[in-house]
Amino acid sequence: MECIEEVRCFDGYQRRYRHHSQVLGCDMTFSIFLPPEHDQTPKPVLWWLSGLTCTDQNFVQKAGAQRRAAELGLVIVCPDTSPRGVDVPGEDESYDLGTGAGFYLNATQAPWASHYRMYDYVTRELPELVRQQFNVNDREAISGHSMGGHGALVCALREPGRYASVSAFSPVANPVNCPWGEKAFQAYLGDDRQAWAEYDTCELIKRDDARQPLLVEQGEADQFLESQLNIDQLERVCQEQNHPLTLNRREGYDHSYFFIATYINVHLDYHAQHLNA
């Protein structure tokens, strides 16, 4: 593992690392914020999953999370959003499939299956590496935005009891019924819609396997609200299943990192409360 960037930040460090991923079969980068070390007490980890076209750097540079994370003693780990440069045919032809669009699932269809296994990467390989290399404890929370919000909710629902808390900004909440999700799932998972359901928040809630409370932040002026996100469907399914959901609808806010930066401290405080409970 190679540190390729380090900056001092609120008495902690914002770092970026490169390592070889056995799961994805390529070199990957991730970013990590390490809060001040007042003592040697291991710190809890918040995983942040970013959206379509993003890298591990978008959250780091735009969300403004480091000040509050330093105060709360939170380690924040930001994985990249897909493998890169693995020469899969079609990986760079569109913004919503391939590079920057891994959708946090394990692909089963050629030519994607040999590299596009982001679910195993963010839930297995990278957490193991972080535990080996950094002074962290076993307490984890997870959050994300858009495609990454989808990933955060799915990871928490598929791994009952693992994450102390989960939240999402503008998540793709029902990808089996939106253009982004249908395109990606068809390519990565094939025609079997039962396989699609394994990576769909609404479908997982219907199964009632996990009672993980969800915190969702949604801007009412989001340009993708009606066409891609299916937030109304998420709210409906949670009501039908009596699944715990806190849905904050924010008037005038869009899909951008300006929205995330406005409310990120609300989510950091929420996660810190659960991580330290």
Side-chain angles (χ1 to χ4, degrees):
M1 191 173 74
E2 175 190 7
C3 183
I4 57 177
E5 185 178 351
E6 177 184 87
V7 293
R8 189 81 162 145
C9 186
F10 297 106
D11 292 330
Y13 289 94
Q14 183 67 61
R15 293 178 182 167
R16 195 181 194 200
Y17 287 90
R18 180 186 296 117
H19 73 105
H20 184 75
S21 168
Q22 296 291 336
V23 167
L24 304 178
C26 65
D27 287 347
M28 292 292 288
T29 60
F30 70 92
S31 293
I32 184 168
F33 175 71
L34 300 169
E37 285 280 359
H38 300 301
D39 54 42
Q40 294 302 308
T41 304
K43 302 294 193 295
V45 175
L46 172 63
W47 296 93
W48 176 270
L49 306 184
S50 289
L52 285 169
T53 75
C54 290
T55 70
D56 58 295
Q57 289 283 280
N58 294 71
F59 179 84
V60 169
Q61 296 176 358
K62 297 180 179 180
Q66 290 91 346
R67 181 192 295 273
R68 191 70 182 127
E71 295 169 349
L72 295 169
L74 291 180
V75 173
I76 304 180
V77 183
C78 304
D80 204 347
T81 53
S82 77
R84 294 183 186 270
V86 292
D87 296 326
V88 171
E91 68 180 355
D92 295 319
E93 291 180 0
S94 61
Y95 78 96
D96 53 358
L97 184 68
T99 302
F103 269 87
Y104 304 102
L105 52 75
N106 290 334
T108 59
Q109 302 298 301
W112 308 99
S114 58
H115 295 286
Y116 279 70
R117 301 184 59 81
M118 288 298 292
Y119 183 84
D120 280 353
Y121 178 69
V122 300
T123 63
R124 301 289 181 265
E125 186 178 34
L126 188 55
E128 182 177 349
L129 181 64
V130 168
R131 286 192 293 268
Q132 290 173 354
Q133 298 292 330
F134 301 99
N135 186 28
V136 299
N137 60 33
D138 61 357
R139 299 286 286 170
E140 298 175 277
I142 192 166
S143 187
H145 171 235
S146 195
M147 179 188 72
H150 139 77
L153 297 177
V154 165
C155 287
L157 292 169
R158 284 174 55 114
E159 309 267 339
R162 173 171 177 173
Y163 300 99
S165 51
V166 58
S167 72
F169 287 78
S170 314
V172 183
N174 188 206
V176 302
N177 290 314
C178 78
W180 282 341
E182 290 172 357
K183 179 178 180 177
F185 286 12
Q186 177 70 48
Y188 296 144
L189 302 173
D191 295 328
D192 183 4
R193 293 184 73 91
Q194 287 299 111
W196 296 17
E198 296 298 315
Y199 299 101
D200 184 288
T201 297
C202 290
E203 296 302 314
L204 291 170
I205 290 171
K206 289 177 184 178
R207 297 196 326 204
D208 202 28
D209 291 339
R211 303 297 295 170
Q212 177 81 55
L214 313 180
L215 171 61
V216 174
E217 213 75 37
Q218 181 58 57
E220 293 285 75
D222 191 316
Q223 60 269 43
F224 302 112
L225 180 57
E226 299 302 324
S227 60
Q228 302 283 4
L229 304 184
N230 289 323
I231 298 301
D232 289 344
Q233 174 67 0
L234 173 64
E235 186 173 38
R236 187 179 308 114
V237 169
C238 285
Q239 290 174 346
E240 292 172 352
Q241 299 297 124
N242 195 30
H243 191 100
L245 168 68
T246 300
L247 174 58
N248 297 321
R249 296 181 182 269
R250 306 294 189 177
E251 183 179 355
Y253 285 92
D254 65 5
H255 200 72
S256 73
Y257 265 84
F258 293 108
F259 174 44
I260 296 170
T262 302
Y263 292 104
I264 190 61
N265 284 0
V266 173
H267 287 242
L268 294 178
D269 289 346
Y270 173 80
H271 291 300
Q273 178 183 359
H274 287 81
L275 286 165
N276 296 319

